[in-house]
Amino acid sequence: MAHPKRRQSSTRRDKRRTHYKATAPQIAVDSTTGEAHLYHRAHWHEGKLYYRGKVLIDNTAEEVA
């Protein structure tokens, strides 16, 4: 197994870590509801689950058994 012979300086360590950056998520705005959400993700708005402007699940009308 590799073992360092000398301690690596903080400058060299930081140079190596320059490529590890946090990226901001891309936010989309739904054309139907105007709700902001992540791309390629379904989102809830007022009891309905929307994906690409269409309702997938509607929980507004509660069913009584």
Side-chain angles (χ1 to χ4, degrees), residues 21-65:
K21 297 175 184 157
T23 58
Q26 289 185 332
I27 303 295
V29 176
D30 192 357
S31 59
T32 307
T33 62
E35 186 79 12
H37 63 92
L38 293 175
Y39 277 103
H40 304 103
R41 303 290 194 285
H43 64 281
W44 289 96
H45 181 69
E46 296 179 354
K48 297 178 183 177
L49 183 68
Y50 286 90
Y51 183 69
R52 299 182 67 185
K54 297 176 184 170
V55 177
L56 297 179
I57 299 172
D58 189 358
N59 284 344
T60 56
E62 295 292 328
E63 294 183 19
V64 178

Side-chain angles (χ1 to χ4, degrees), residues 7-37:
R7 180 181 173 142
Q8 197 171 38
S9 70
S10 60
T11 304
R12 289 182 69 90
R13 178 199 64 204
D14 294 343
K15 282 182 185 178
R16 185 182 71 247
R17 292 180 181 172
T18 58
H19 302 291
Y20 299 130
K21 297 175 184 157
T23 58
Q26 289 185 332
I27 303 295
V29 176
D30 192 357
S31 59
T32 307
T33 62
E35 186 79 12
H37 63 92

